Structures are given as C-alpha cells and as structure tokens.
Amino acid sequence: MLHPITTVHYLLLSAALLLVGTIGVLTRRNVVIILMSIELILNAVNINLIAFSRYFGDVTGQIFAIFVIAVAVAEAAVGLGILIALFRNKETVWADEIELLKW
Amino acid sequence: MSQYYTTTDHFVLVPALMLALFGCAVLLFEVLVFPHPRQRKWLLLFVLLGLAFAGAGVWRQQNFLASQGIEELTAFGGTLTVDGFAIFFNWIFLAASLIVTLISYRYLEVEGEHHGEYYGLILLANCGMFFLATGTDLITLFIGLELMALCFYILVGFLREDRRSNEAALKYLLLGAFSSGFLVYGFSVLYGLAGSTKLRAVADALASREPWDPVVFLALATTAVGLLFKISAVPFHMWAPDAYEGAPTTVTAYLSVGSKAASFALLLRVFLMPLGAAREVWEPLLAAVAVATMTVGNLAAVTQTNIKRLLAYSSISHAGYILLGLIAGNETGIKGVLVYILVYTFMNLGAFLVVVALRRKDLLGEDLDDLAGLVYKSPGYAILMLIFLLSLAGIPPTAGFIAKYYIFLALIETRHYVLAVIGTLYVAVAIYYYFRIVRSMFLAPLADTGPLTTSFGLRLALVVTGVLTLGIGIYPEPFLGFAQTSLAR
C-alpha cells in the first residue's frame, strides 16, 4: 500500500534540491556547472512555491513561480554572455584560473 | 477590484514608468536616432530628462502625502506602498543615478567603451531600486532586486576588452545569483507560512508563531543569507572587493552607493516588518555579523594599495556600522540608519569621483601612488578628497560624524555598550587607512605630472557632493527632520 504524496514530500524534495545546488556551487570549479547548480536552487524554490500554492488553493504561488522562471532565464542569459566575453579574452571555464583579481 | 489600473496605481507607478520608458527608449534612440558617436551628448540629455521626470513623479508623491496629511498610499492591492521611507530612498537613488550619469560621459570616452546601453542600464537599475524601496510584496521585491542586480552584472562587465572587468562581472554574477536563490527560497518559505505574498500578511502570520519555530528559522536564515550577500556583510563579502576593483570606476561608484542603499531598503523592509516578530532570534545573529563585518572590512583595508579595493573594504565596514543601527532598533537607531545611508551616498560617491578623475588614456589611476602629491597639482581635488575621507572616517564637522553619532547614540540608548565600544575602536583603525591616502596626497612628492581627466559634469558632481558632505555635517537639522518623517513602519 503506497502512502499518498503530501505537501511535506514536495518540501523535502525542494530542500534536497537546495542542498544539492548549494553543494554544487561551493564545490564544482567549472563555471557552466556552477550556473547549472544555481538553476537547481531556483527550481527548488519553484517546487516550494507550487507545493504551497496547491496546499493553500491560492494562485499567487504559481505566479511567483513563473516570475522565478523568467528571472532564472535572464540570469542564465547574462551569465553565459559574460562567460563568453571572458572566454574571448582568456580561454577558460575553470573558476580556479580566473584569478586576476585577488586580495 | 473592478478596476485593474486605477489613477492611484498610476500615480504611485509614475517614477518607475518614467525610468523604464526612458531606459528602453535610450537603447532604441542610440540605434535609430543618434547613431553617430558625436551625437552621444543628446543621448545624455535624454537620460537627464528621464531622471527629471522620475524626480518630478517622486516630488508630486511627496507633496501629495504632505498635503493630504496621510502617511502612506498603497497601490495595486497593497503591492506597492509609497510612504516617507520609499520617498526618502527614491531621492537617494535618483541623486546617485544623476551624479553617476554626469561623471560617466568623459570616463567612458577615455575607456573607449562609450555606448548608449550604459545609460539605459543605469535607468533600468534605478527602476529596480524603485521597486525595492516601494514594494511591499515578496514578488515585487524579488523582481525589483533582480532587475537591479541583472543591470549591475552587465555594468560591472561593461569593459568587454578588459579581462579584469570580465572576471569581476563573472564573480559578481555567480555569487549574486547564488545569493538571490537563497533569498527567494526564504521568500517561498515565508509564502508557505502566510499563504500570501503581502508583507503585512506575512508579518501577521509570523507574529502568531513562536520566534524559535524551526520553519520560521529556515525562512529567516535563508532570507538573511541572501540579504547579507547583497549588502556585502561578512562572511558573504567576498565578491565586493573583486567586483569593485574590476568594474569601471563610475560603475563601482554607483554599485557602492545605489546597490547598497537599495539592498538596505529591502533589508529594513523585510527585517522590521515581516521578520520583526522573530527579533530575539536575528538580533544576536546580526550583532555577530556586524562585528565581523567591521573587523574584516577595517583590518583588510589597512594593507590595500589599490584605492578602489581600499574603498571596497571601507564600504564593507560601513555596512557593519549601518547594521548596528538596525540592531539597536529603536527610533534613534532607524533614524541613524537612514541618515547614515544618505550621508554615505554622497561621501562615498565623492571619494570615487576623485578616483574617476585620475583615469587617463595612459594611466589606470587606481594605485595609491597615483595620488601622490595631488595637492601640488590640483589643490581643489585634494582638499575635496580630504573632506570626503574625513567624513568617511567620521570626524566632525563633516556629515560622517553626524551619521556615526546617531548610530552610537542609539546603541547606548538601548544598552548595547559592547557593540558601541567595538564600533568606536574600529573608527580609529579607519582613520589610519584613510589617512594613508591623505598622507600620500599632501606629504608625498608629486609623482605624476599629467593632467586630470575632468569635465563640467565631474566638477559639478564634485561640488555638489562636497557641499552636501560638509553641509549635512554643519547644518544637519533639515536632513534629520527628513529622516525622521521617513521612518520605516
């Protein structure tokens, strides 16, 4: 007998995604993968919002999620644009080799 | 809710509409109407017109509130709220945009990257700041923050041929997007607690819960991480020195005052209203962050030889002082925060203006030695820089003293004696590194005999910031009164 999937399950999935995304940002050294990890964090947010939206029967959460998706796209576009600008001057995507500015 | 867009909605939205409209129009005009590089000055005029219209909108809102004797005007079903707090911050943002626009023309020509997008992005960033100060809804605040942040990512990387600028933009973007993710995760949990994205509903929902409720703590912690990133508080400050050093100096100036003031507006809105119920949880956390911020900011600034990097660490330490006012949290404290942000805007912009003037085709003008003997070459600039640095250090009769005075007064009123003592001790450290610049300007022999890069706009901006930095210090009453009427509720 399967248990029904409740809001809590979605929240746990979202928390797990947040954790995976955070670890990805902090440990991976490839800039493209760091950008992907940030997308994971934003998707964790979306799952949260949709789960709450469903729970409350309130449409606001879904609207919020659409905005978050739009922002995620804009961030990815700008991020890749900047990465290409950098790549033209120095051919690397490894965060360790981006080291001109240091304290 | 029969009408979707009422006259009140329009009245509240006018400044943002103007900024967005002119911001987008600048992008179009550069291509269609003024394609020739020599016509850029008309573009500049157009930008100033946009800022003037936005300012007129804010001015009419301020007059309306005063003439009707009401404290706030809500629009879009409580999504936007114009109150004294919003108007106060909107004036700061517009002033910062105006000054940055004035100084950018010559600077971008020297850098060889003079494009109309620059001004469009400045206006759009200012539009985002408007929503940060005016929004009272989690969605609006998030969109405002992202609008501002995305413009700043591009502006920081505006020097496409310069690897330092590329790097700064990439680092700023990665850490900024990461922190935005945390912030919006916190917002989603707040929405889950309240069932509504309105700040007031969230505040009511949190007030009915225990302050140490784990879900409340999760929301608080993730939101706080995001916000502390944005104001570059330790331990989330790593992006600031890199972004400040690599960005074009005019953008650094805008970033250090506009973005910081807007982030503090958001922080005050979120921490005082919805999270105010959990004050006993965040107060010790923020106190620890503020002490760490002042420590790292002040101590790291001591060893810097790059002026932009030095000012970056100094701006980190100023964020620590502003946080102290929020920790005190009484009326004097919040008033102190507002006055501090106002004063900081002008004195920090002023200091960066002098750095902008140092840049030449053949000289980066970012090293401490580039300032050596400035007083023999351009005494006016050296004396103005001295005023800005005295103010940054908090020495009377400059404005910086008034700002720090109210912060410390609030700390003593609320019996945070230890924090007050730590804050005062770090002022001594700050005086040391600011006076390294002063010593270089006044006592070192003249190192570089080339002319400063100056323009009418730059001189005007320098005089305005200089007069305000001294003026607020000598005659602070009108500005204190303005802050008093703008307290966050």
Side-chain angles (χ1 to χ4, degrees):
Chain A
M1 181 69 190
L2 285 170
H3 293 287
I5 296 175
T6 61
T7 309
V8 176
H9 293 100
Y10 287 110
L11 299 187
L12 287 176
L13 170 67
S14 146
L17 264 181
L18 176 74
L19 201 66
V20 171
T22 308
I23 292 173
V25 172
L26 296 179
T27 60
R28 300 305 290 262
R29 300 269 58 100
N30 186 324
V31 173
V32 180
I33 295 186
I34 296 178
L35 280 171
M36 285 160 62
S37 303
I38 291 169
E39 299 295 311
L40 277 188
I41 295 177
L42 292 174
N43 281 330
V45 174
N46 286 337
I47 292 175
N48 241 355
L49 288 169
I50 301 295
F52 285 132
S53 172
R54 168 92 184 172
Y55 175 73
F56 291 119
D58 174 37
V59 78
T60 319
Q62 296 180 31
I63 297 172
F64 201 160
I66 292 174
F67 276 117
V68 172
I69 292 170
V71 164
V73 173
E75 239 159 31
V78 172
L80 291 174
I82 291 172
L83 186 60
I84 288 172
L86 177 73
F87 197 78
R88 284 207 178 118
N89 293 332
K90 178 184 172 70
E91 295 207 356
T92 182
V93 290
W94 298 100
D96 297 335
E97 294 173 15
I98 303 170
E99 54 180 10
L100 217 54
L101 299 164
K102 275 241 175 85
W103 52 342
Chain B
M1 288 268 277
S2 57
Q3 246 183 317
Y4 287 107
Y5 189 71
T6 63
T7 42
T8 313
D9 293 347
H10 182 71
F11 185 62
V12 167
L13 199 62
V14 161
L17 276 180
M18 287 300 156
L19 291 167
L21 195 72
F22 276 82
C24 297
V26 165
L27 301 180
L28 272 180
F29 269 44
E30 199 217 357
V31 184
L32 299 179
V33 187
F34 305 123
H36 201 273
R38 274 215 313 265
Q39 294 168 321
R40 291 276 148 69
K41 52 180 177 294
W42 298 111
L43 215 56
L44 185 72
L45 222 66
F46 193 67
V47 174
L48 295 178
L49 195 67
L51 287 174
F53 274 123
V58 176
W59 172 251
R60 282 179 59 206
Q61 289 170 0
Q62 192 177 10
N63 280 346
F64 182 77
L65 289 189
S67 67
Q68 301 287 310
I70 49 177
E71 284 191 339
E72 59 178 38
L73 190 65
T74 56
F76 295 102
T79 305
L80 294 178
T81 304
V82 170
D83 48 10
F85 180 80
I87 288 172
F88 182 86
F89 273 99
N90 278 329
W91 281 128
I92 291 182
F93 304 150
L94 287 171
S97 299
L98 178 67
I99 291 174
V100 170
T101 309
L102 283 177
I103 61 174
S104 294
Y105 194 82
R106 275 293 280 143
Y107 178 80
L108 290 177
E109 277 182 350
V110 172
E111 292 282 3
E113 290 280 2
H114 200 186
H115 307 292
E117 293 97 321
Y118 179 88
Y119 301 109
L121 287 169
I122 283 194
L123 289 180
L124 289 175
N126 196 342
C127 183
M129 294 176 197
F130 171 89
F131 286 112
L132 281 181
T134 317
T136 43
D137 182 287
L138 295 177
I139 303 179
T140 314
L141 290 173
F142 174 62
I143 296 299
L145 182 74
E146 285 304 308
L147 179 53
M148 176 186 85
L150 283 170
C151 291
F152 270 118
Y153 300 148
I154 307 172
L155 282 172
V156 166
F158 206 73
L159 307 178
R160 276 174 308 174
E161 308 296 320
D162 182 0
R163 251 185 66 198
R164 292 193 314 154
S165 183
N166 300 152
E167 271 191 37
L170 191 65
K171 284 181 178 170
Y172 183 33
L173 177 120
L174 290 178
L175 290 175
F178 181 49
S179 67
S180 298
F182 265 85
L183 181 72
V184 74
Y185 188 86
F187 280 4
S188 76
V189 178
L190 286 178
Y191 167 66
L193 285 167
S196 163
T197 52
K198 301 274 182 298
L199 286 193
R200 203 164 291 282
V202 176
D204 292 342
L206 288 195
S208 65
R209 284 185 169 251
E210 290 281 309
W212 284 99
D213 188 310
V215 185
V216 174
F217 186 77
L218 176 68
L220 173 73
T222 46
T223 311
V225 167
L227 287 172
L228 293 175
F229 248 114
K230 297 292 173 195
I231 62 164
S232 68
V234 176
F236 313 110
H237 67 290
M238 305 301 291
W239 60 272
D242 289 347
Y244 282 30
E245 187 190 338
T249 313
T250 49
V251 173
T252 310
Y254 196 37
L255 187 65
S256 73
V257 297
S259 163
K260 188 156 283 194
S263 305
F264 264 109
L266 175 64
L267 186 107
L268 287 173
R269 278 265 197 231
V270 172
F271 271 76
L272 289 178
M273 204 179 7
L275 295 178
R279 186 176 183 94
E280 61 177 279
V281 182
W282 57 255
E283 195 179 305
L285 284 177
L286 276 196
V289 168
V291 170
T293 305
M294 289 189 296
T295 309
V296 172
N298 281 312
L299 295 185
V302 168
T303 56
Q304 301 302 324
T305 53
N306 181 305
I307 309 168
K308 280 160 83 175
R309 225 173 163 77
L310 192 155
L311 288 174
Y313 280 109
S314 113
S315 102
I316 291 174
S317 75
H318 283 288
Y321 284 108
I322 301 175
L323 277 181
L324 286 183
L326 177 63
I327 291 159
N330 59 353
E331 198 172 293
T332 322
I334 305 304
K335 187 165 115 184
V337 169
L338 295 181
V339 172
Y340 205 116
I341 292 172
L342 176 74
V343 167
Y344 169 80
T345 302
F346 293 114
M347 63 190 184
N348 210 48
L349 265 180
F352 274 113
L353 293 183
V354 177
V355 184
V356 169
L358 289 177
R359 177 78 167 98
R360 274 205 319 269
K361 263 267 177 292
D362 54 338
L363 180 75
L364 218 46
E366 291 176 7
D367 210 64
L368 209 52
D369 296 333
D370 294 335
L371 274 171
L374 185 70
V375 69
Y376 303 110
K377 189 167 68 176
S378 324
Y381 283 80
I383 288 166
L384 277 168
M385 187 69 168
L386 175 66
I387 292 172
F388 298 133
L389 292 174
L390 285 176
S391 183
L392 283 166
I395 295 171
T398 55
F401 170 73
I402 303 288
K404 283 211 171 63
Y405 169 78
Y406 274 95
I407 299 279
F408 289 137
L409 181 67
L411 284 175
I412 287 166
E413 277 176 7
T414 51
R415 301 176 180 278
H416 291 91
Y417 298 119
V418 178
L419 288 178
V421 169
I422 295 173
T424 319
L425 285 178
Y426 280 125
V427 172
V429 181
I431 289 175
Y432 171 74
Y433 61 77
Y434 289 129
F435 273 71
R436 278 177 64 212
I437 305 181
V438 175
R439 196 183 59 196
S440 172
M441 285 191 309
F442 285 86
L443 298 178
L446 184 59
D448 164 62
T449 49
L452 292 178
T453 305
T454 177
S455 64
F456 173 71
L458 183 74
R459 284 192 294 268
L460 182 68
L462 264 176
V463 169
V464 169
T465 48
V467 164
L468 280 168
T469 306
L470 264 185
I472 300 177
I474 293 167
Y475 184 56
E477 277 78 13
F479 299 95
L480 293 177
F482 186 26
Q484 181 75 39
T485 58
S486 313
L487 294 179
R489 271 175 267 290

